[in-house]
Amino acid sequence: MTQEELFKSLIAHAKEYGFIFPSSEIYDGLSAVYDYGQLGAELKNNIKRYWWDSMVRLNENIVGIDSAIFMHPKIWEASGHVGAFNDPLIDNKDSKKRYRADVLLEDHIAKIEEKIEKEVEKGKKKFGDSFDEAQFRATNPNVLRNKEKAAEITSKMNEALNSGDLEAVRQLIIDCEIVCPISGSRNWTEVRQFNLMFSTQMGSVSEDANVIYLRPETAQGIFVNFLNVQKTGRMKIPFGIAQIGKAFRNEIVARQFIFRMREFEQMEMQFFVRPGEEMKWYEHWKAQRLAWHKALGLGDEKYRFHNHEKLAHYANAAADIEFLFPFGFKELEGIHSRTDFDLSQHQKFSGRKLQYFDPETNESYVPYVVETSIGLDRTFLAVYSTAYCEEKLENGEERVVLKLPAILAPVKVAVLPLVKKDMLPEKAREIMNDLKYDFNCQYDEKDSIGKRYRRQDAIGTPFCITIDHQTLEDNCVTIRDRDTMQQERIPVEKVRGIVEERVSFRKVLEKI
Ligand code: GAP
């Protein structure tokens, strides 16, 4: 099965089992907007808890807030979003399709990089055990030529985008002979800037109404509350403010399922530090965030850093944590050293002082900020796409199993009476009524036990416990492990301990 086919299967699976539905489906859907179903909402809540606990509970100097989506419109002028939160767009005149010019170029570069990887694979096959990959990459003429080509296009693209030279962006698309995937033609319009913020009106009568924006990031809600939190929480620098919430962007190229959406959720933390100490904290948070990802156990090799060479004017360092999604390595989280840009801008635009008096140095200053910003939906996709497995079993049967990290699984225990009679359902309910205070449980008595196991595998439930006739006599149940499918007979009193051991947030948090 190709990666593309696998990706399609997991999207279908997400819908079939109540994880993710296209939004407004009975009206044929709304592009790039999705709803989380009954299991998706549970999984999402578990991801939020993992993030929130790692930030707010485990760090005495980080507190969490929940600011409003609607904010004063001047905030978005101060932050630079009104003036510069733009995507460069280009239309193909034949297909009438609109594209992000930078994405067309990035896809073109990715194709060149794919050629390099194919060449390396060919080399591996040809030379077998004696293959020296590093040497091959450094000397093979095809690899070197493509590397140079990719680097040249990347550099030209960055230069054109950073200087806002839209004609140069268009010229590069033409020079690279990029064609529209729909029409196959190179009949391109000029490149234009398009602001990504959604706007609406606030006010009871249209004449009085003010244009306001749906926030494109949660971070500004943190910046404008910096002093409120610092004073009321008696916070001393360095300290952080964390927030989870919705953000909205009118993405033109919205694709790859929940990877790029128009309404999504972010988990952001702004860490306020003494000017001059930001690089130390930037490195600290880079390491911490990578450790957070790795502790989930999706595979260390699935993560890599992408350090930004070209920086936004307000940043003095920035890196992405990229994840190996089914469609390649893509940004999952950003870690940015944002200097004092945001607080200084808000000081200027609001006319209010946003300074901190440092009792250790006896100075007042505008703190510097190191930001960690992760997409909740992208984390969902990272977890879900890694967990999705189509397995061939030894007995020739097939099963679809979601090997989710147990702490994130929507349902932790399925309680299954072997048959629907002989007091087994009553006994099963009794066990479930006790377990449900500790874990999210699901009761199921329909169909054969084999079918019920498959249903639980498909939603990633780490444990199934089966109640049979013997249970009524010895108070023992069969506990089945999702991944190994091993079954063990244990006393009912031991169930809680076994499940707790596996689904404990503590064990994962301790690894960070
Ligand atoms: N406050 C900084 C900020 O918003 P960003 O790189 O624009 O930085 C941070 O966004 C994270 O939010 C990204 O790494 C990504 O995970 C997520 N994100 C951004 N745009 C998104 C979209 N359209 N759909 C889903 N997630 C998105």
Side-chain angles (χ1 to χ4, degrees):
M1 195 189 273
T2 63
Q3 283 298 305
E4 210 175 315
E5 286 164 344
L6 187 76
F7 193 46
K8 275 192 186 147
S9 306
L10 74 87
I11 295 172
H13 184 270
K15 185 176 166 206
E16 187 181 345
Y17 285 92
F19 283 90
I20 298 174
F21 307 123
S23 162
S24 324
E25 200 189 4
I26 58 169
Y27 290 94
D28 295 332
L30 184 65
S31 167
V33 186
Y34 289 91
D35 296 337
Y36 286 85
Q38 63 281 11
L39 294 180
E42 293 283 350
L43 175 49
K44 219 176 163 194
N45 282 340
N46 291 336
I47 297 172
K48 286 190 208 178
R49 178 175 163 197
Y50 177 46
W51 184 86
W52 187 269
D53 285 0
S54 75
M55 286 290 178
V56 175
R57 259 210 198 178
L58 297 189
N59 293 287
E60 277 177 46
N61 60 348
I62 299 182
V63 290
I65 64 164
D66 183 11
S67 71
I69 287 171
F70 291 144
M71 299 170 81
H72 196 288
K74 264 195 173 175
I75 286 173
W76 305 110
E77 284 175 42
S79 67
H81 284 84
V82 171
F85 193 50
N86 299 322
D87 272 347
L89 299 186
I90 190 164
D91 291 17
N92 182 269
K93 289 183 194 164
D94 299 317
S95 68
K96 313 271 182 260
K97 277 273 166 197
R98 182 163 289 176
Y99 299 94
R100 256 177 65 178
D102 54 334
V103 172
L104 281 181
L105 287 165
E106 278 167 7
D107 286 352
H108 182 71
I109 295 164
K111 276 188 198 143
I112 299 173
E113 283 166 349
E114 255 170 48
K115 279 188 195 162
I116 298 175
E117 294 314 310
K118 276 194 187 140
E119 198 68 40
V120 173
E121 280 309 308
K122 253 172 44 192
K124 258 185 206 159
K125 276 199 191 124
K126 190 169 161 194
F127 298 111
D129 287 347
S130 62
F131 183 64
D132 179 342
E133 185 174 329
Q135 196 197 356
F136 187 84
R137 283 182 188 273
T139 55
N140 179 279
N142 287 343
V143 170
L144 291 178
R145 199 185 51 253
N146 279 321
K147 252 190 188 168
E148 198 181 318
K149 203 164 151 190
E152 191 189 330
I153 299 170
T154 308
S155 138
K156 281 188 180 167
M157 176 180 77
N158 286 338
E159 202 180 308
L161 288 171
N162 289 335
S163 62
D165 187 347
L166 300 182
E167 186 42 43
V169 176
R170 179 174 188 268
Q171 195 53 49
L172 192 56
I173 288 172
I174 290 166
D175 292 347
C176 290
E177 302 185 348
I178 295 173
V179 296
C180 164
I182 310 281
S183 67
S185 87
R186 293 183 211 149
N187 197 4
W188 298 109
T189 61
E190 75 282 16
V191 179
R192 283 161 298 123
Q193 292 289 15
F194 176 85
N195 193 284
L196 294 182
M197 282 197 295
F198 283 103
S199 62
T200 184
Q201 275 150 21
M202 186 178 256
S204 50
V205 270
S206 56
E207 301 87 72
D208 294 344
N210 281 322
V211 170
I212 55 165
Y213 299 99
L214 298 189
R215 66 181 179 198
E217 63 171 14
T218 59
Q220 298 304 324
I222 293 178
F223 289 123
V224 298
N225 278 298
F226 156 72
L227 265 194
N228 282 338
V229 174
Q230 190 271 316
K231 289 202 165 125
T232 55
R234 293 180 291 115
M235 308 301 290
K236 288 205 168 58
I237 269 179
F239 74 91
I241 305 178
Q243 164 154 245
I244 299 176
K246 290 264 183 177
F248 304 84
R249 295 181 189 179
N250 198 1
E251 300 279 3
I252 292 309
V253 186
R255 56 179 183 176
Q256 286 151 338
F257 194 32
I258 56 171
F259 181 81
R260 195 180 299 286
M261 298 198 288
R262 300 206 163 103
E263 174 179 341
F264 58 100
E265 259 181 285
Q266 291 184 315
M267 305 190 284
E268 298 199 292
M269 194 277 295
Q270 316 295 132
F271 201 68
F272 300 91
V273 304
R274 232 176 242 164
E277 292 189 356
E278 70 276 11
M279 290 319 288
K280 178 180 92 184
W281 288 110
Y282 170 71
E283 292 304 333
H284 168 86
W285 282 109
K286 267 178 79 177
Q288 278 289 299
R289 294 305 304 146
L290 189 63
W292 181 90
H293 286 282
K294 287 185 174 174
L296 271 182
L298 303 183
D300 291 2
E301 72 291 351
K302 294 210 161 225
Y303 300 91
R304 72 179 188 195
F305 276 117
H306 165 71
N307 294 314
H308 291 206
E309 279 162 27
K310 297 275 172 196
L311 297 170
H313 60 282
Y314 52 78
N316 59 7
D320 297 334
I321 294 178
E322 293 186 338
F323 183 79
L324 185 55
F325 288 98
F327 37 83
F329 270 106
K330 297 274 174 197
E331 176 186 342
L332 173 59
E333 171 156 13
I335 297 131
H336 313 122
S337 174
R338 298 182 68 122
T339 66
D340 59 354
F341 173 80
D342 301 87
L343 289 180
S344 297
Q345 284 290 97
H346 288 308
Q347 213 173 227
K348 196 160 114 197
F349 277 71
S350 68
R352 305 277 175 90
K353 262 196 171 175
L354 291 177
Q355 298 197 348
Y356 171 78
F357 176 74
D358 194 327
E360 280 178 38
T361 59
N362 259 336
E363 276 177 327
S364 285
Y365 52 79
V366 178
Y368 271 42
V369 171
V370 175
E371 164 185 78
T372 72
S373 175
I374 175 171
L376 174 54
D377 313 86
R378 282 192 194 174
T379 311
F380 188 113
L381 185 58
V383 167
Y384 190 87
S385 59
T386 308
Y388 181 85
C389 274
E390 294 181 9
E391 269 185 2
K392 210 163 186 88
L393 305 178
E394 276 173 11
N395 64 5
E397 283 179 25
E398 280 182 15
R399 71 163 181 163
V400 173
V401 54
L402 278 190
K403 294 188 173 173
L404 294 169
I407 61 162
L408 303 183
V411 178
K412 308 297 189 204
V413 195
V415 182
L416 316 172
L418 189 62
V419 289
K420 254 196 274 184
K421 55 183 183 179
D422 304 338
M423 297 301 284
L424 298 191
E426 286 77 1
K427 181 67 185 170
R429 288 271 181 212
E430 183 192 311
I431 295 172
M432 163 130 169
N433 282 339
D434 180 43
L435 287 176
K436 72 183 182 189
Y437 289 98
D438 296 305
F439 313 112
N440 195 19
C441 303
Q442 205 173 71
Y443 177 85
D444 191 3
E445 59 179 23
K446 197 168 177 292
D447 298 323
S448 72
I449 196 73
K451 272 195 180 162
R452 282 182 272 166
Y453 283 157
R454 289 288 168 275
R455 275 204 290 271
Q456 294 301 329
D457 289 344
I459 64 169
T461 307
F463 293 107
C464 290
I465 58 169
T466 306
I467 289 87
D468 56 22
H469 292 93
Q470 188 69 26
T471 310
L472 301 180
E473 284 166 30
D474 60 9
N475 211 30
C476 286
V477 291
T478 303
I479 188 160
R480 174 186 178 271
D481 182 295
R482 175 196 69 196
D483 299 339
T484 63
M485 292 185 290
Q486 294 288 321
Q487 301 186 17
E488 200 191 336
R489 197 132 183 107
I490 54 161
V492 168
E493 323 74 81
K494 283 202 169 167
V495 172
R496 177 180 291 103
I498 291 175
V499 178
E500 183 57 47
E501 166 84 9
R502 182 81 68 82
V503 305
S504 145
F505 273 79
R506 181 190 177 113
K507 281 201 143 182
V508 183
L509 288 167
E510 274 175 352
K511 289 189 203 158
I512 300 171

